[in-house]
């Protein structure tokens, strides 16, 4: 049953949440009245993440019950109406989706708004098709622009989406990308609005045709060329330039005149002063200032001095450029004087890195982001949109205006080759050369794009509900009501979302509540610990509302180990179990994704599941026993992909590696405040006895046939890639190397040294190869029979040694002094001996006084934390954690897991 049977344009009765209304307007009025009453409740306004805004502004943005610019009171009603209650007898089984997804950004829906980060809806569709079924309800708790709901609507079959985001502009965009839209009526309204403004302001963007064709600009003298005609063209954009002063003579010049080489379509690296002839760098020129009467504040205001230096305009389909004449300058000046009667809001920018980025230029209020003519044009559009009679059309018109605002502002950069030149992604940067465009044309183009890209909505029922609140408290949703979760959480310190969004939200009058924002931000005083705690709270809510045995997908882009670990440990602390990591390629990166030193070309996608109720119940009954270990492993192996294909070959399924299986088991036990009842070597031996092994991976008996069938079709076995970054990974690398090729020290040393490259962790002490070998492996000294590990390698690779007895002198001579990986029984003895030595060194760390440890062994810390955890000695974990640099703690998943849980247990016991 659809939520909306008849759209507003057609009129007639509509059904919403089981109620029938005479029209969509009647539906809107009914729920608006209920929301208005709800907003008067002070308890409701204390909901986590409640935005900053008046009742009037919130109601003006909202379209209840589908969308509220505040916490949505109808989430539970929506889920009850669209979903189905959880039943333990329900049949559901999925492996994690393991295919790497590649989808480009050049889709009309993706480009409908200029929001900072988005995942292409066609990529999300792949996950929805895999994890969900007909009539399932999907949650996106960090919904951004609502692409999950767009994807879900395209998949269809009655699927529904619950969208939640802290940002009012994000949920506003989501509403417009997922609401109903009569595209014909909408574009008519936009065209009529622009035509009305042009009629009332006929000369707003007109300029006398005295210029040259843009393509001819290299062959004319710009200052002397005059067009003989008397026509008028329409301004496309004006190029504004900073005025700068020469450090040598103090003469003032437009930055454009000294920096732009029009003949070469480029910016000069060295700038020559036309007055004194001195050549200097750009940084040596000083920005000039002027004091003007602020058009909105009505008081003197000091700002960077910028002047129009070029007008780009069109006549028909032809583009021209000209030097601004007196009439052009007068038109711009007149607009500045009209600003004091505009509908533009007077809003001071909030504190923050991005919002205060341009404070030295005098940009302290929202309206300072706009040049005089563009400020006036935006004000006219705002006034017309706010008086629009149709609520649905009015919101869609505001959507088009917010979409074009960054491009209509001073953030639109100049490019000498005239190709593009939009705002710098992920920032509020204002440059020395800006090209604010014709706002009316820009607005109309956006409206046409929106009408085209969203025309499908008129034929589709509304299948989503949107709430503006924090994901840390989804109290409106009952337990176990969601079938699948797809989220794209904030990427650590990549973006200052609330600061960037303030540019739009201040215009709408409803602003993000920053206290619940999950980011790393110096301006908000939030570090990686705060970020992780907010993620834990959010993931805990996702875990609560998700049905047992169902999946969560986390898409994110950040290569910092601390952020990766924050997400992984947050998932584990919330009760999820990670089953797979794949890649999602957006094909085109934002500026930061391409240019920064920590950039990655592909986003990563984590697949994690909520264990079924049976596993939790059995653990509660058995406690920290060996049965609980193998029960978890048995359950976990069922959730892992059996085969991962890459091209024509097989890819190693890392989650089936015994070492990673042990890590997942430890995380499961730690999350349940229980010690792991066996060592790593005991675990690996138990794994070998209880499960089947193929190519270094563990399988259930019923999974092996499928793997063997695929393995028989490829020539080469898949291999796990090991990246040596600390002592543990160095040991793992040596183990893999020596299993394949038992070697003497002199043979092994050069191979090992090549692994200790730039990826080594900053504070981790680099171990000596000799010490690693003696603590973890065995050297054959030539006494007794040649160990079978060495014998198998030599007889395979040396023809003259085949068929020899293990005591043959030739074989013994060739085998002597080779290091090899011990068999499981001896490996356990070595592990116990090594752990004893590690704990002895841990006691030294514990007894050390003074400042933080600058260099240490992570293996020592891990052994100490594990032992302290088993003894419930949480204070020792916290004490040592305070002695090591925070980045070292945040970048190690194992230490972070124990530390996080130690803090939680200490706070619970307080």
């Amino acid at each position: 049953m659809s939520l909306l049977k008849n759209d507003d344009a057609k009129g007639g009765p509509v059904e919403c949440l089981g109620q029938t209304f005479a029209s969509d307007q009647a539906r809107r009025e009914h729920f608006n009245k209920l929301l208005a009453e709800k907003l008067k409740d002070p308890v409701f306004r204390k909901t986590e993440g409640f935005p900053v805004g008046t009742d009037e502004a919130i109601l003006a943005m909202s379209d209840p019950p589908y969308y509220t610019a505040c916490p949505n009171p109808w989430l539970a009603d929506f889920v009850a109406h669209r979903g189905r209650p959880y039943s333990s007898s329900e049949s559901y089984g999925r492996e994690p989706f393991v295919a790497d997804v590649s989808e480009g950004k050049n889709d009309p829906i993706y480009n409908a708004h200029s929001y900072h980060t988005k995942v292409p809806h066609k990529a999300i569709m792949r996950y929805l098709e895999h994890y969900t079924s007909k009539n399932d309800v999907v949650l996106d708790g960090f919904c951004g622009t609502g692409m999950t709901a767009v994807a879900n609507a395209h998949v269809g079959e009655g699927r529904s989406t619950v969208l939640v985001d802290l940002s009012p502009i994000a949920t506003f965009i989501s509403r417009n990308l997922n609401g109903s839209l009569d595209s014909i009526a909408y574009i008519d309204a936009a065209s009529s609005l622009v035509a009305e403004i042009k009629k009332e302001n006929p000369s707003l963007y007109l300029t006398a045709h005295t210029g040259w064709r843009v393509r001819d600009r290299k062959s004319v003298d710009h200052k002397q060329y005059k067009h003989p005609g008397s026509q008028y063209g329409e301004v496309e954009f004006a190029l504004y330039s900073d005025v700068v002063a020469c450090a040598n003579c103090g003469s003032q010049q437009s930055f454009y005149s000294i920096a732009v080489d029009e003949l070469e379509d480029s910016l000069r690296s060295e700038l020559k002063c036309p007055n004194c002839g001195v050549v200097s760098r750009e940084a040596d020129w000083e920005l000039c200032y002027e004091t003007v009467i602020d058009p909105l504040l009505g008081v003197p205001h000091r700002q960077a001095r910028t002047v129009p230096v070029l007008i780009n305009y069109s006549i028909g389909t032809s583009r021209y450029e000209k030097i601004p004449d007196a009439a052009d300058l007068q038109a711009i000046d007149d607009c500045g004087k009209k600003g004091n009667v505009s509908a533009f809001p007077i809003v001071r920018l909030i504190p923050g890195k991005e919002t205060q980025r341009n404070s030295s230029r005098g940009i302290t209020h929202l309206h300072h982001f706009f040049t005089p003519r563009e400020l006036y044009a935006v004000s006219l559009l705002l006034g017309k949109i706010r008086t629009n009679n149709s609520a649905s059309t009015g919101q869609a018109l505001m959507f088009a205006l917010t979409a074009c605002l960054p491009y209509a502002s001073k953030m639109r950069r100049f490019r000498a080759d005239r190709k593009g030149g939009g705002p710098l992604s992920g920032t509020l940067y204002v440059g020395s050369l800006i090209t604010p465009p014709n706002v009316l044309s820009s607005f109309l183009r956006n409206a046409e794009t929106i009408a085209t890209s969203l025309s499908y909505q008129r034929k589709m029922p509304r299948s989503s509900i949107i709430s503006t609140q924090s994901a840390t408290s989804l109290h409106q949703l009952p337990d176990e009501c969601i079938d699948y979760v797809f989220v794209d959480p904030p990427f650590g310190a990549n973006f200052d979302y609330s600061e960037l969004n303030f540019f739009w939200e201040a215009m709408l009058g409803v602003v993000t509540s920053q206290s619940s924002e999950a980011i790393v931000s110096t301006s908000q005083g939030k570090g990686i610990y705060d970020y992780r705690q907010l993620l834990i709270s959010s993931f805990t809510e996702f875990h609560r509302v998700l049905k047992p045995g169902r999946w969560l997908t986390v898409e994110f882009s950040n290569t910092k180990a601390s952020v990766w670990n924050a997400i992984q440990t947050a998932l584990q602390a919330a009760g999820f179990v990670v089953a797979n990591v794949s890649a999602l390629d957006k094909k085109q990166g934002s500026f930061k994704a391409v240019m920064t030193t920590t950039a990655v070309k592909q986003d990563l996608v984590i697949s994690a599941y909520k264990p079924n109720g049976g596993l939790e119940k059995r653990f509660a009954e058995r406690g920290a026993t060996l049965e609980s270990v193998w029960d978890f492993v048995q359950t976990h192996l069922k959730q892992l992909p059996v085969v991962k294909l890459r091209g024509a070959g097989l890819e190693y399924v890392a989650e089936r590696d015994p070492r990673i299986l042990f890590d997942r088991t430890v995380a499961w036990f730690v999350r349940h405040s229980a010690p792991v009842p066996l060592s790593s070597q005991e675990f690996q031996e138990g794994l070998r006895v209880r499960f089947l092994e193929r190519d270094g991976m563990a399988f259930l008996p019923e999974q092996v046939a499928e793997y063997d069938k695929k393995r028989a079709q490829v020539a080469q076995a898949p291999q796990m890639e090991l990246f040596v970054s600390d002592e543990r990974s160095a040991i793992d690398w040596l183990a893999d190397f020596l299993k394949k090729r038992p070697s003497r020290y002199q043979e092994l040393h050069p191979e090992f040294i090549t692994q200790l490259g730039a990826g080594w962790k900053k504070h981790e002490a680099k171990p000596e190869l000799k010490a690693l070998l003696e603590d973890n492996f065995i050297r054959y000294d030539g006494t007794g029979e040649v160990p079978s590990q060495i014998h198998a390698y030599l007889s395979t690779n040396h023809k003259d040694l085949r068929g020899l007895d293990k005591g043959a002198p030739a074989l013994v001579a060739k085998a002597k002094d080779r290091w090899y990986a011990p068999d499981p029984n001896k490996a356990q003895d070595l592990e116990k001996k090594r752990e004893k030595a590690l704990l002895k060194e841990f006691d030294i760390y514990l007894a050390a006084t003074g400042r933080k440890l600058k260099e240490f062994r992570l293996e020592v810390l891990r052994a100490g934390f594990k032992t302290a955890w088993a003894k419930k000695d949480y204070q020792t974990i916290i004490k040592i954690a305070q002695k090591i640099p925070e980045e070292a703690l945040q970048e190690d998943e194992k230490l972070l897991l124990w530390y996080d849980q130690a803090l939680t247990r200490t706070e619970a016991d307080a």
Side-chain angles (χ1 to χ4, degrees), residues 488-742:
D488 177 19
F491 306 152
N494 276 23
F495 292 99
D496 296 283
Y497 291 92
S498 60
E499 295 177 34
L500 297 172
N501 291 346
F502 187 82
F503 176 77
W504 289 300
E505 293 173 355
M507 186 86 68
L508 295 169
V510 187
V511 177
T512 298
S513 170
Q514 289 186 321
S515 60
S516 300
E517 187 178 17
I519 62 169
V520 177
S521 168
T522 53
S523 59
Q524 292 186 34
K526 291 177 182 174
I528 190 70
Y529 174 79
D530 305 286
Y531 171 71
R532 190 173 68 255
Q533 293 305 309
L534 287 164
L535 285 182
I536 290 173
S537 297
S538 299
F539 289 151
T540 298
E541 281 292 84
F542 300 161
H543 186 273
R544 177 183 66 81
V545 302
L546 186 64
K547 294 176 180 177
R550 294 291 189 134
W551 289 86
L552 167 143
T553 298
V554 181
E555 189 274 340
F556 77 103
S557 175
N558 194 310
T559 55
K560 279 191 174 181
S562 58
V563 176
W564 164 255
N565 286 331
I567 291 176
Q568 285 227 97
T569 55
L571 284 169
Q572 292 168 162
F576 287 103
V577 183
V578 175
N580 186 66
V581 179
S582 292
L584 187 149
D585 186 358
K586 294 181 183 175
K587 290 193 176 179
Q588 300 174 20
S590 68
F591 172 80
K592 289 191 176 183
V594 174
M595 299 300 292
T596 57
T597 55
T598 61
V600 285
K601 292 181 179 179
Q602 293 178 319
D603 288 5
L604 295 178
V605 179
I606 302 176
S607 296
Y609 63 91
K610 177 179 179 177
N612 60 46
L615 178 65
E616 290 280 6
K617 183 180 178 181
R618 293 191 298 274
F619 190 92
E621 293 171 350
R622 295 169 177 165
T625 61
L626 289 175
E627 288 94 335
S628 293
V629 170
W630 304 119
D631 187 19
F632 170 78
V633 174
Q634 175 91 13
T635 304
H636 186 53
L637 287 175
K638 288 179 183 177
Q639 302 282 36
L640 301 182
V642 175
V643 175
K644 290 180 77 171
L645 299 174
R646 183 175 292 275
L650 282 182
E651 185 176 338
Y652 190 88
V653 182
E655 289 293 333
R656 291 186 176 277
D657 185 283
R659 291 161 292 198
I660 294 181
L661 285 171
F662 183 66
D663 288 345
R664 297 288 177 239
T665 305
V666 170
W668 173 256
F669 273 69
V670 170
R671 196 255 172 181
H672 288 79
S673 303
V676 183
L678 74 179
S679 69
S680 173
Q681 288 296 337
E682 289 168 339
F683 176 85
Q684 293 193 42
E685 173 61 13
L687 196 70
R688 186 181 66 80
V689 171
R690 290 170 175 81
F691 303 96
L692 298 177
E693 185 270 339
R694 293 290 190 275
D695 299 323
M697 299 176 284
F699 293 89
L700 297 173
E702 60 267 29
Q703 296 172 331
V704 165
E706 180 185 349
Y707 181 81
D708 287 344
K709 182 179 178 181
K710 293 291 184 182
R711 176 67 183 85
Q713 297 171 4
V714 299
Q716 190 173 357
Q719 295 182 345
M720 185 176 188
E721 294 182 55
L722 284 172
F723 300 96
V724 177
S725 59
D726 59 11
E727 183 176 337
R728 180 69 260 165
S729 55
I731 294 170
D732 290 342
W733 182 87
L734 284 169
D736 280 8
F737 187 94
L738 292 175
K739 282 178 183 177
K740 300 169 188 172
R741 181 180 157 192

Side-chain angles (χ1 to χ4, degrees), residues 741-754:
R741 181 180 157 192
S743 304
R744 294 187 173 98
Y745 180 87
Q746 57 270 30
E747 299 167 345
L748 188 57
H749 188 266
E751 298 278 359
F752 179 73
I753 291 300
T754 61

